[in-house]
Amino acid sequence: MDETSRRGDLDALFRPRSIAVIGASSNPGKIGHEILRNIIEYGYGGEIYPVNPKHDSVLGLKCYPTVLDVPGDVDMGVVAIPAAYVPQVVDQLGAKGAKVAVVISSGFSEVGEVELEERLLRAAGKWGMRVLGPNIFGVAYTPGRLNATFGPRDVLPGSIAFITQSGALGIALMGWTITEGIGLSALVSVGNKSDVDDDDLLGWLSRDPETRVILIYMEGVKEGREFLEAASAASREKPIVVIKAGRSERGVKAASSHTGSLAGSDRVYDAVFRQSGVLRAYSVEQAFDWAMAFASGRVPRGDRTVIVTNGGGAGVLATDAAEMCGLRLIDPPPDLAAEFRRYMPPFGSAKNPVDLTGQASAREFEGAVAAALSHDSVDNVLVLYCETAVTDPEEIAAAVARAAGESDKPVAAMMMGGERSVRAMRLLRSRGVPAYPTPERTAESLCALVRYRELRDRGSAGV
Amino acid sequence: MDETSRRGDLDALFRPRSIAVIGASSNPGKIGHEILRNIIEYGYGGEIYPVNPKHDSVLGLKCYPTVLDVPGDVDMGVVAIPAAYVPQVVDQLGAKGAKVAVVISSGFSEVGEVELEERLLRAAGKWGMRVLGPNIFGVAYTPGRLNATFGPRDVLPGSIAFITQSGALGIALMGWTITEGIGLSALVSVGNKSDVDDDDLLGWLSRDPETRVILIYMEGVKEGREFLEAASAASREKPIVVIKAGRSERGVKAASSHTGSLAGSDRVYDAVFRQSGVLRAYSVEQAFDWAMAFASGRVPRGDRTVIVTNGGGAGVLATDAAEMCGLRLIDPPPDLAAEFRRYMPPFGSAKNPVDLTGQASAREFEGAVAAALSHDSVDNVLVLYCETAVTDPEEIAAAVARAAGESDKPVAAMMMGGERSVRAMRLLRSRGVPAYPTPERTAESLCALVRYRELRDRGSAGV
């Protein structure tokens, strides 16, 4: 298969015109029930065909004995039946003209059933059909209102594409993004990667206008060279953040027993990531923190940064973190300092960090942040809000979002405090401003933006 | 003043028998109102005397023109009036026999009014009275139901004592601990540290049976030698976690302009911390993560650790983090492996990480964790739960807490997922099991326990 046709085929994975769910079930708790319900309830707009010889209808939809009995075209087949029956059903999907089979079922190479997986692949290959999986929890693509997973239903729309090799971790993180107010464009469980793998997905997602950053949880890749090429090309288009499990000796062993993939030496991976311009994160939290910053779609012009805070201590901690990771905190030029002084009492500080003091309300935050963003000497603004009894976190968040909206420079914000600050943080995230609960995470996320920009300028990203 | 009397005096700071609030106000939003209301509503059991010549009663309590008019004894005076009047009022408090003045008011050395601060100190010294502050948000001590702060009211009881040199950061973190379900024994805003400083507080809190770990946010200490001695002695009794702001060049400058304290070279601080057995955290999040682990009161016998998980990917990430920070992941001996196998399907793994698979419910978690904890080859257990559609996070948290309750070995748990997992995490925390949202933070917190144990064994803690 040449590259073009392979890429084209993935359209059906993210934007299928119709979906057959093979193994659809009326029993809540069954995977074939949960996936069908998510597809329906999340608001998928194409045709949906439940397939199961045991039912006449499932969840209010007419159910067909086999996919060959479906009256219309089938673009994507979601397969949730026992492993032994999968190759035959995949063959039927191919005969029906489906472009992609999303094989949820487990019981293949991950438990040593290598031959069964090969039969599945041959069945698909015969018809030129692509296979996602097996051994996965599904795929979601929010711009198409597609949630064909058995994870949580209400994935938030956004511009982070998340590819995960681990199922349980992926589902848990899916729920976590909802709670945290982090929006996704796509979510792909790759499981055994029998056919569709990171390379293919990088190709499609790097061209997807709805996706601004690609986040990959991986335990290993099968073809290092192919990954290097795909990642190099993709990182020219948009940032790629990878969290690679299996760094330690025992971690490598655990990874290889978990997904059966050759985890390989961590140093080799490190070199591949560096060469291909991929940003490597060292924890789940860090990976999503960075991805959230990239999801804003803003590219820093440089590293010149101003910190605006209402709390001296938070300002010092952010200053430390910013300087440690390579942000340049500038001395505000006289005209900018004079602007800052308009938004603070006499005992505030117009130096960097700019301390508006604990009295600062929405007006002061908005004014100071807008002043910094509109000044030529500033590339990025880091906003730190410590909750106080006399100020309203949500008002301040709204003000910061307004100021950020008037500019295309990167802004990252901290909202630290109780429940009201948590809501304020989500409000900022929902308006495209990356927001965090601590000064260090805020500064380090802004650093990731600057680092990507430098990588790209040096040409390391996408060699 | 000799050491014994100085220490004795701090009893009145944490367990005052009566409190006068000078500057008590009927106007919500005023500091003198907020503090008085917190004292009353949080459930303080001693006598409370509002003092303000402008009011006859405040918040339902009789109000006195001056503290000298108060009929009963006054143990602690909380002072929230303009700076210029503070020395005189402190003098009156001394005359009235108060043991400690908690001076909330700002406008002293932090804004260059050094002489005014000296007058305040002389007024207190004349009567042998201790001074906390000035320029602070107050003090709280949950075992005595004391919340004499103008921060959030409902501080959760627990065993972390938190000392903060920054006001805004401290108040914000206070709210954050409530939202996060992190319990505190004490919370002390030290501000300008004109009299009571870290040394004094370390002395008292290290002997306080209600406190298991002391967490300090500091920008600088005045007397390095005294801090070294106090910290060395205190770290023999219990772990001390310090987050020291002003690590970078600009951070040092910002810190010194913020609290007026000489921040000094970071390398000197580092040496002092190492010599005194203090654990240095590099972010707010890390500091509280560690403190939560210490708050369990459990001391690891060694570094031999088992990971129990329902998700392979989370297991690999925790394995990486654990090995990187020095936990030893053991190979479970045959009898223990056999025990583990009782709680997993055939495709689970009894190796370390022990993978119970996504099917694992509360029974499996409880059984496997209990088996690990009761085996001689295991010092610590790391539990990882990834939320799935078919299992209940809160049931699993309760099961893990039960298993942990049967042992005195350290347990740290991850609850990763949506809202239900957040509740499960808080449930664990409320039952004394440190719990976190990601594998890395869970592993690293357990590491802090093992590191403290090693420090103490080597005698570095408390030389």
Side-chain angles (χ1 to χ4, degrees):
Chain A
M1 227 177 304
D2 68 44
E3 271 303 300
T4 320
S5 77
R6 289 186 65 164
R7 242 173 243 136
D9 289 349
L10 287 193
D11 288 347
L13 182 64
F14 295 104
R15 292 191 175 278
R17 280 158 308 174
S18 56
I19 305 175
V21 179
I22 298 97
S25 166
S26 303
N27 304 333
K30 284 252 180 190
I31 285 176
H33 179 89
E34 302 297 329
I35 293 185
L36 181 61
R37 200 177 51 187
N38 272 345
I39 295 173
I40 297 169
E41 294 186 356
Y42 192 64
Y44 173 69
E47 289 297 323
I48 309 172
Y49 304 109
V51 174
N52 188 336
K54 289 186 228 146
H55 298 294
D56 290 330
S57 83
V58 178
L59 285 164
L61 295 174
K62 182 168 163 51
C63 187
Y64 302 89
T66 77
V67 73
L68 297 171
D69 302 305
V70 169
D73 285 340
V74 169
D75 217 22
M76 171 200 279
V78 177
V79 184
I81 58 174
Y85 305 104
V86 170
Q88 183 196 344
V89 158
V90 164
D91 188 49
Q92 292 174 344
L93 274 168
K96 183 67 186 169
K99 305 278 194 308
V100 62
V102 172
V103 183
I104 306 295
S105 318
S106 54
F108 294 88
S109 63
E110 84 282 6
V111 292
E113 297 287 348
V114 177
E115 211 210 322
L116 191 62
E117 193 160 305
E118 280 166 3
R119 277 177 53 210
L120 146 64
L121 278 179
R122 278 198 303 273
K126 196 169 96 186
W127 304 98
M129 184 173 61
R130 304 299 306 265
V131 174
L132 181 70
N135 186 28
I136 61 175
F137 64 90
V139 60
Y141 186 67
T142 59
R145 299 302 299 166
L146 173 71
N147 182 352
T149 76
F150 60 88
R153 185 186 63 193
D154 297 320
V155 194
L156 300 175
S159 44
I160 301 171
F162 175 37
I163 301 170
T164 172
Q165 196 170 356
S166 173
L169 186 79
I171 290 182
L173 284 172
M174 200 173 166
W176 176 84
T177 60
I178 297 169
T179 301
E180 289 280 315
I182 299 171
L184 303 178
S185 56
L187 173 67
V188 191
S189 169
V190 289
N192 296 1
K193 301 185 187 177
S194 71
D195 171 23
V196 173
D197 60 9
D198 305 290
D199 326 350
D200 302 304
L201 294 167
L202 282 171
W204 198 89
L205 292 167
S206 66
R207 284 172 187 77
D208 174 33
E210 307 286 349
T211 295
R212 285 181 173 151
V213 49
I214 303 167
L215 196 169
I216 308 178
Y217 167 82
M218 66 161 64
E219 301 188 350
V221 297
K222 287 182 177 163
E223 297 286 347
R225 168 56 51 189
E226 281 181 21
F227 177 81
L228 178 65
E229 280 168 18
S232 299
S235 71
R236 253 193 301 264
E237 304 297 325
K238 51 192 73 166
I240 300 169
V241 177
V242 168
I243 172 154
K244 160 76 179 59
R247 290 193 285 146
S248 62
E249 206 182 313
R250 187 176 285 265
V252 170
K253 265 193 252 168
S256 89
S257 91
H258 175 222
T259 44
S261 67
L262 260 179
S265 152
D266 194 64
R267 261 182 306 175
V268 173
Y269 278 99
D270 222 40
V272 167
F273 296 148
R274 231 171 313 118
Q275 237 184 302
S276 55
V278 160
L279 294 159
R280 182 173 190 176
Y282 288 96
S283 73
V284 169
E285 187 173 272
Q286 192 174 55
F288 276 92
D289 278 356
W290 293 358
M292 225 189 308
F294 288 120
S296 72
R298 297 178 181 216
V299 181
R301 280 163 222 182
D303 59 359
R304 298 170 307 165
T305 304
V306 162
I307 298 175
V308 175
T309 181
N310 71 337
V316 182
L317 291 174
T319 297
D320 284 343
E323 295 223 318
M324 296 285 170
C325 68
L327 291 177
R328 185 149 52 100
L329 298 183
I330 60 152
D331 291 315
D335 60 326
L336 181 55
E339 266 295 298
F340 286 148
R341 267 186 229 104
R342 291 178 53 202
Y343 302 105
M344 61 178 69
F347 56 94
S349 168
K351 285 178 191 158
N352 195 0
V354 178
D355 189 351
L356 305 177
T357 82
Q359 306 174 5
S361 68
R363 195 191 77 83
E364 284 76 26
F365 267 100
E366 186 167 358
V369 172
L373 285 171
S374 61
H375 201 279
D376 279 344
S377 65
V378 177
D379 298 317
N380 314 286
V381 176
L382 221 148
V383 188
L384 308 169
Y385 169 72
C386 293
E387 187 175 325
T388 69
V390 295
T391 54
D392 182 333
E394 287 173 275
E395 274 179 22
I396 284 165
V400 170
R402 274 196 304 275
E406 297 292 314
S407 167
D408 60 357
K409 295 178 182 173
V411 176
M414 174 192 87
M415 294 278 131
M416 180 189 270
E419 276 307 329
R420 296 188 307 155
S421 291
V422 172
R423 285 200 301 272
M425 188 170 75
R426 287 188 202 143
L427 185 147
L428 279 166
R429 289 174 178 177
S430 75
R431 303 218 179 147
V433 180
Y436 309 89
T438 69
E440 297 89 357
R441 287 171 61 185
T442 314
E444 283 158 16
S445 302
L446 200 49
C447 280
L449 285 190
V450 171
R451 202 154 59 244
Y452 172 69
R453 157 71 195 240
E454 287 167 358
L455 272 176
R456 221 176 51 172
D457 284 357
R458 279 212 311 271
S460 315
V463 171
Chain B
M1 228 175 304
D2 69 44
E3 270 304 299
T4 319
S5 76
R6 291 186 64 165
R7 241 173 245 135
D9 289 348
L10 287 193
D11 287 348
L13 182 64
F14 294 105
R15 292 192 176 277
R17 281 158 307 174
S18 57
I19 305 175
V21 179
I22 297 97
S25 166
S26 302
N27 304 334
K30 284 252 181 191
I31 285 177
H33 179 90
E34 301 298 327
I35 293 186
L36 180 62
R37 198 176 56 189
N38 273 345
I39 294 173
I40 297 169
E41 293 184 357
Y42 192 64
Y44 172 69
E47 289 299 323
I48 309 172
Y49 304 109
V51 173
N52 189 334
K54 289 186 228 148
H55 297 295
D56 290 330
S57 82
V58 178
L59 285 164
L61 295 174
K62 183 169 164 48
C63 186
Y64 302 89
T66 77
V67 73
L68 296 172
D69 301 307
V70 168
D73 286 339
V74 169
D75 218 19
M76 172 200 279
V78 178
V79 183
I81 58 174
Y85 305 103
V86 169
Q88 183 196 345
V89 158
V90 164
D91 188 50
Q92 291 174 345
L93 274 168
K96 182 70 185 168
K99 305 279 195 309
V100 62
V102 173
V103 183
I104 305 295
S105 319
S106 53
F108 294 88
S109 64
E110 85 281 7
V111 291
E113 298 286 348
V114 177
E115 211 211 323
L116 191 63
E117 193 161 306
E118 280 167 5
R119 276 175 55 208
L120 146 64
L121 278 179
R122 277 199 303 273
K126 194 169 97 186
W127 304 98
M129 184 172 62
R130 303 301 305 266
V131 174
L132 181 71
N135 187 27
I136 61 175
F137 64 90
V139 58
Y141 186 67
T142 59
R145 298 303 297 166
L146 173 71
N147 182 351
T149 76
F150 60 88
R153 185 185 62 194
D154 297 320
V155 194
L156 300 174
S159 44
I160 301 172
F162 175 37
I163 301 170
T164 172
Q165 194 170 357
S166 174
L169 187 79
I171 290 182
L173 284 172
M174 199 175 168
W176 177 82
T177 60
I178 297 169
T179 301
E180 289 281 314
I182 299 172
L184 303 179
S185 55
L187 173 68
V188 191
S189 170
V190 288
N192 296 2
K193 301 185 187 177
S194 71
D195 170 24
V196 173
D197 60 9
D198 306 289
D199 325 350
D200 302 304
L201 294 167
L202 282 170
W204 197 90
L205 292 165
S206 67
R207 284 170 186 79
D208 173 34
E210 307 287 349
T211 295
R212 284 179 173 153
V213 49
I214 302 167
L215 195 169
I216 308 179
Y217 167 82
M218 66 161 66
E219 301 188 350
V221 296
K222 287 184 178 163
E223 297 285 346
R225 169 55 52 188
E226 281 181 21
F227 178 81
L228 178 65
E229 280 169 18
S232 298
S235 73
R236 254 193 301 263
E237 303 298 325
K238 53 192 72 165
I240 300 169
V241 178
V242 168
I243 171 154
K244 160 76 179 61
R247 290 193 285 145
S248 61
E249 205 183 314
R250 188 177 285 265
V252 170
K253 264 193 251 168
S256 88
S257 90
H258 176 222
T259 43
S261 67
L262 259 180
S265 151
D266 194 64
R267 263 182 305 175
V268 173
Y269 277 99
D270 222 41
V272 167
F273 296 148
R274 232 172 312 115
Q275 236 184 304
S276 55
V278 160
L279 295 158
R280 182 173 190 174
Y282 288 97
S283 73
V284 169
E285 186 173 274
Q286 193 176 53
F288 275 92
D289 278 356
W290 293 359
M292 226 189 309
F294 288 120
S296 72
R298 297 177 182 216
V299 180
R301 280 164 222 181
D303 59 358
R304 299 170 307 166
T305 305
V306 162
I307 297 175
V308 175
T309 181
N310 71 336
V316 183
L317 290 175
T319 298
D320 284 342
E323 294 222 319
M324 296 286 169
C325 67
L327 291 176
R328 185 148 51 100
L329 298 183
I330 61 153
D331 290 316
D335 60 326
L336 181 56
E339 267 294 299
F340 286 147
R341 268 186 228 102
R342 291 179 53 201
Y343 302 105
M344 61 178 70
F347 56 93
S349 168
K351 286 177 190 159
N352 195 2
V354 178
D355 189 351
L356 304 176
T357 82
Q359 305 174 7
S361 68
R363 196 190 76 82
E364 284 76 26
F365 267 101
E366 186 167 359
V369 172
L373 284 171
S374 60
H375 202 280
D376 279 345
S377 66
V378 178
D379 299 316
N380 314 286
V381 176
L382 220 149
V383 188
L384 307 170
Y385 169 72
C386 293
E387 187 174 324
T388 69
V390 296
T391 54
D392 182 334
E394 287 174 275
E395 273 179 22
I396 284 165
V400 170
R402 274 196 304 276
E406 298 292 314
S407 167
D408 59 358
K409 294 177 183 172
V411 176
M414 175 192 86
M415 294 278 131
M416 180 190 269
E419 277 307 330
R420 296 188 306 155
S421 290
V422 172
R423 285 199 302 271
M425 189 171 73
R426 287 188 202 144
L427 185 147
L428 280 165
R429 289 174 177 177
S430 74
R431 303 217 179 147
V433 179
Y436 309 90
T438 69
E440 296 89 358
R441 287 172 61 185
T442 314
E444 284 159 16
S445 302
L446 201 48
C447 280
L449 285 189
V450 171
R451 202 154 60 246
Y452 173 67
R453 158 70 196 241
E454 287 168 358
L455 271 178
R456 222 175 51 170
D457 284 358
R458 279 213 310 270
S460 315
V463 171

